[in-house]
Amino acid sequence: MPSSTRLHLAIEPIRDPLQVQSLSRRPVVQLSLPALYETRLVGSSAWAPDGRSLVYVSNRAGRNNLWRLDLDEQGSPMGEPRQLTSSDQRQGSPVWSPDGRTVVFISDFDGDEQWDLFALDVASGAVENLTGTPDIAEQSPRWSPDGKQLVFISKPRSGSSFEIELLDWKTRERRPVTSNTPADWGNFHPLWSPDGKALVYLREHAAGKDSYLIHYDFQTGAERILTPHEGEKLYVANDWSPDGKRLLITSNALNGHDNVALLGVENGRIAWLTEEEWEVSGDSFTPDGQGVCWSANVDGHSQIYVQGLGGEASQLPLPAGMNYPTGSDSCFQPRRGGLLFYHTGPADAGDLWLYDRQEAVRLTSSVHPELSTPAARESMVEPFLVHFPSRDGRWNLSALLYLPHNVQRDGSHPGVVYIHGGPASQSVNGFNRSLQYLVNRGYVVIAPNYRGSTGYGKAFQDANYRDLGGGDLDDVWSAAEFLCATGYVNRKKLISMGGSYGGYLTMLAVSKMAERWAAGVAIVPFVNWFTELEHEDPLLRQYDLATMGDPVENAALYRDRSPIFFVDQVRCPVLLIAGAQDPRCPKQEAEQVAAAIRERGGTAELKIFLDEGHGFAKVENQIAAYRQVAEFLQRHVPAF
């Protein structure tokens, strides 16, 4: 039976914009861009087999490299972390071999997303490129239980489908598990059975709305669908039970919202553990197999639960904000049982924590010293959770609203509508460097979760199907109207700002709603559906075809939703920032719209970072990009 636990909002949302109130804080410390962006990022992590060490990704030295942290018997850090790799290129997805001698990880070149698999010899520090395929991306490595093989997913640069492959550790020979997958489907998240005799993996449609779990038997080579169904339903396998009889899964098949369940490997029966209408995500079985760990994202605020099989779920007493179980191959500490999790909050940079013996201990310290003082922490802003109706009355929209301290409700302040990317993503209550900087400089910011966002169920996420740049753009304007209705913001000082799909909506806003905006900031955007299809990665092309339809049959829709065809309407200054190696929103997108605006006498500033892709990994480039944003806004829509 599903748990009787009922998830509730961490804070009550505000529906009346006049209830939003600036707080009095004296003094307010000026937050510097270098301090914010030199606050370290902490990425994926993995336990050593003995549970006494962690390997994790951090840009502690300016690049996303691998670091090691050793723990004592009580689970506390033993000294400072040690850097294991030193590379100018970003690294990710570390997995520790069962014998503890090797860490396998992925790395690409200047953000091009053509990942290779690498192996780090833990004792000597030597690094070996295992695949060396500049035109094939290899990702998601996992060791077999006996350490003799690696499973991973791979995709050629020119292909759209990820396939699953094996790498023999001794001979370095590769062999396929899947092949000839249809162009609009892909294979992901392979998980070894505890005895190493089988895999379970995900086969997902390019639109991201339908998937199956497939069991692969190594002895017979037989594949078996574990989750046959009708209609569009999503299934993800999170973990095998220690006895290999059940899978912990996350699925929206119960009620259109992500919930967690147990799936019988032999009989395919599903036993639901939760029945919620928020976003619940499974993670791991407890080491004894008698319980599971899952997290719940409730309107952009996330907490972690441990639930005995057949029992009630218990929420862990963790700090407010966003908390996720983390660690490969399990969040639970081998041989000790502590639970590894990632925590971030409005004033808390993302860090690894360990929950053990009823206590949460922070393992990493990522915040820059300049931001760790009480005065600096109090100068950061906790957002208000606000709700408002969509313009068409179909949806109750959610947003986070950041209001500077010590400002008057006098209608004089500039406002920023900060649009997340995706569109299948969500603005959440975590540490956001750029938003805290803007708010600290006097900008009032709202970050809406428009239709198509994750976190609110299948119907809401599907609401932009064949309507990208339509209802979601209206939702962006609804957020702007709520912002103005607070009484703090000057309607003539509105700024649209976003990255990736948020950059696309920004450009659509300043072209099709031109008279409403004072400036636009589009980071790694696309602006032309036709050229985006031509130049983007083939996998993303399949996603766009699935969501927008055929470009010939739906040419009118493609044209109507492409900002480039409305560029003559742009009235405000625009800043565009792109990465030269970006396979998702290629630099040609930003280049063509900047040129078109300039040809018509408009203001379009363009900056392309030659050694970056989709989102910037190098700290100096992050600082340079957001310094350019700050200077652009100060010139055109100053706060003071």
Side-chain angles (χ1 to χ4, degrees):
M1 295 293 292
S3 167
S4 62
T5 302
R6 280 296 173 264
L7 305 177
H8 59 277
L9 292 171
I11 56 177
E12 189 65 25
I14 292 175
R15 293 176 172 82
D16 179 358
L18 294 178
Q19 289 184 6
V20 174
Q21 180 68 49
S22 176
L23 300 181
S24 176
R25 290 282 190 274
R26 306 282 184 188
V28 171
V29 174
Q30 190 170 79
L31 308 177
S32 74
L33 269 177
L36 285 163
Y37 279 92
E38 288 171 10
T39 288
R40 300 149 190 153
L41 292 170
V42 172
S44 50
S45 58
W47 285 108
D50 63 4
R52 299 192 63 176
S53 299
L54 280 168
V55 61
Y56 65 96
V57 176
S58 175
N59 67 347
R60 186 182 175 99
R63 297 292 184 270
N64 288 312
N65 290 164
L66 302 189
W67 292 73
R68 174 176 177 164
L69 181 66
D70 296 326
L71 308 179
D72 62 20
E73 291 294 334
Q74 286 70 46
S76 297
M78 296 174 59
E80 289 294 309
R82 290 181 286 149
Q83 188 168 4
L84 295 180
T85 60
S86 180
S87 172
D88 199 44
Q89 304 302 332
R90 61 180 178 173
Q91 300 168 338
S93 304
V95 285
W96 218 308
S97 64
D99 62 10
R101 296 177 180 177
T102 308
V103 173
V104 167
F105 61 94
I106 65 174
S107 182
D108 69 348
F109 183 78
D110 285 351
D112 66 358
E113 301 187 28
Q114 298 303 303
W115 305 92
D116 279 335
L117 300 185
F118 289 78
L120 166 72
D121 183 281
V122 176
S124 70
V127 173
E128 174 190 357
N129 189 331
L130 296 174
T131 51
T133 52
D135 289 316
I136 300 176
E138 293 98 359
Q139 298 174 234
S140 306
R142 289 248 184 179
W143 288 93
S144 61
D146 61 8
K148 294 182 179 180
Q149 297 183 93
L150 284 163
V151 67
F152 59 95
I153 64 174
S154 66
K155 185 185 79 68
R157 189 191 297 266
S158 59
S160 63
S161 298
F162 273 99
E163 304 287 4
I164 295 176
E165 293 191 61
L166 297 175
L167 178 74
D168 185 280
W169 183 243
K170 184 177 180 179
T171 66
R172 302 296 199 263
E173 293 180 355
R174 300 166 64 151
R175 69 180 180 91
V177 173
T178 66
S179 60
N180 300 316
T181 300
D184 56 346
W185 290 82
N187 306 288
F188 306 92
H189 307 301
L191 296 177
W192 292 94
S193 63
D195 61 10
K197 296 180 179 180
L199 287 175
V200 163
Y201 64 90
L202 170 72
R203 178 162 291 169
E204 185 174 47
H205 189 262
K209 303 178 189 298
D210 196 21
S211 65
Y212 295 84
L213 293 179
I214 297 178
H215 180 278
Y216 178 84
D217 188 299
F218 282 107
Q219 184 174 0
T220 65
E223 291 185 340
R224 179 166 52 93
I225 295 177
L226 298 180
T227 54
H229 60 271
E230 296 181 356
E232 293 180 341
K233 294 180 174 62
L234 291 174
Y235 299 85
V236 176
N238 306 116
D239 195 18
W240 287 79
S241 62
D243 62 10
K245 295 181 179 179
R246 290 179 288 189
L247 292 164
L248 175 65
I249 68 170
T250 301
S251 172
N252 66 1
L254 178 66
N255 61 1
H257 296 263
D258 284 357
N259 279 281
V260 294
L262 300 178
L263 172 65
V265 174
E266 292 301 321
N267 58 27
R269 292 176 183 169
I270 294 178
W272 294 98
L273 298 179
T274 65
E275 190 177 355
E276 304 294 343
E277 294 188 352
W278 291 104
E279 187 176 72
V280 182
S281 301
D283 190 88
S284 303
F285 278 92
T286 55
D288 62 7
Q290 299 304 304
V292 296
C293 173
W294 48 268
S295 62
N297 170 4
V298 180
D299 213 352
H301 301 71
S302 181
Q303 289 294 341
I304 298 173
Y305 295 77
V306 174
Q307 180 175 355
L309 303 186
E312 298 298 316
S314 299
Q315 179 181 329
L316 301 188
L318 305 179
M322 299 300 294
N323 297 287
Y324 304 102
T326 189
S328 180
D329 288 334
S330 169
C331 65
F332 290 102
Q333 185 179 17
R335 305 183 186 180
R336 287 166 171 78
L339 190 155
L340 184 68
F341 68 98
Y342 179 87
H343 166 74
T344 179
D348 295 330
D351 274 309
L352 296 175
W353 291 60
L354 184 67
Y355 184 82
D356 193 19
R357 300 179 181 88
Q358 309 299 311
E359 182 181 6
V361 177
R362 188 173 63 189
L363 301 180
T364 60
S365 182
S366 297
V367 70
H368 190 279
E370 186 179 310
L371 304 181
S372 63
T373 66
R377 287 182 59 82
E378 290 185 5
S379 296
M380 297 187 203
V381 170
E382 176 104 17
F384 295 95
L385 176 64
V386 300
H387 284 183
F388 48 91
S390 62
R391 296 177 71 191
D392 59 11
R394 292 182 60 197
W395 306 106
N396 178 44
L397 301 173
S398 177
L400 297 174
L401 193 152
Y402 297 75
L403 189 58
H405 299 315
N406 309 320
V407 295
Q408 299 299 310
R409 198 189 300 267
D410 58 7
S412 68
H413 308 285
V416 177
V417 182
Y418 189 88
I419 312 169
H420 70 68
S425 185
Q426 184 185 16
S427 289
V428 298
N429 190 30
F431 187 67
N432 190 309
R433 293 158 174 79
S434 56
L435 291 195
Q436 290 293 347
Y437 183 79
L438 290 172
V439 177
N440 188 251
R441 290 303 187 273
Y443 294 89
V444 185
V445 180
I446 190 168
N449 287 309
Y450 50 83
R451 69 191 71 188
S453 300
T454 57
Y456 303 95
K458 176 176 172 56
F460 187 76
Q461 189 173 340
D462 288 354
N464 63 357
Y465 180 71
R466 295 291 197 272
D467 190 39
L468 297 173
D472 48 9
L473 181 62
D474 286 339
D475 295 344
V476 167
W477 183 245
S478 295
E481 289 184 317
F482 188 96
L483 195 64
C484 293
T486 64
Y488 287 97
V489 172
N490 185 336
R491 283 185 173 271
K492 296 182 179 180
K493 296 182 178 180
L494 284 175
I495 301 156
S496 182
M497 178 176 176
S500 189
Y501 189 81
Y504 158 73
L505 285 180
T506 287
M507 292 310 302
L508 205 58
V510 300
S511 57
K512 300 188 80 168
M513 299 176 171
E515 73 285 354
R516 303 176 185 180
W517 303 98
V521 177
I523 301 169
V524 295
F526 69 94
V527 297
N528 184 333
W529 279 105
F530 297 102
T531 55
E532 173 73 355
L533 278 180
E534 182 182 353
H535 296 124
E536 68 182 335
D537 182 272
L539 174 59
L540 297 172
R541 185 179 305 131
Q542 289 297 324
Y543 170 82
D544 288 341
L545 291 171
T547 52
M548 284 289 283
D550 182 85
V552 176
E553 294 178 2
N554 291 356
L557 176 65
Y558 272 62
R559 183 179 180 85
D560 181 65
R561 302 302 166 81
S562 294
I564 192 67
F565 297 115
F566 302 91
V567 73
D568 59 313
Q569 300 179 27
V570 175
R571 298 290 180 267
C572 67
V574 174
L575 171 64
L576 298 120
I577 299 176
Q581 310 302 320
D582 191 343
R584 298 171 181 261
C585 298
K587 65 183 179 66
Q588 293 93 338
E589 294 294 305
E591 288 173 335
Q592 65 176 293
V593 75
I597 292 173
R598 290 167 180 169
E599 286 173 4
R600 291 162 175 79
T603 300
E605 298 183 20
L606 173 65
K607 173 64 177 179
I608 296 177
F609 287 85
L610 299 179
D611 55 350
E612 295 285 6
H614 194 71
F616 302 158
K618 298 177 172 67
V619 170
E620 67 272 20
N621 290 341
Q622 295 168 356
I623 294 172
Y626 282 96
R627 179 170 287 127
Q628 188 158 355
V629 171
E631 292 172 352
F632 172 83
L633 294 181
Q634 183 61 32
R635 284 195 304 274
H636 296 288
V637 196
F640 302 116

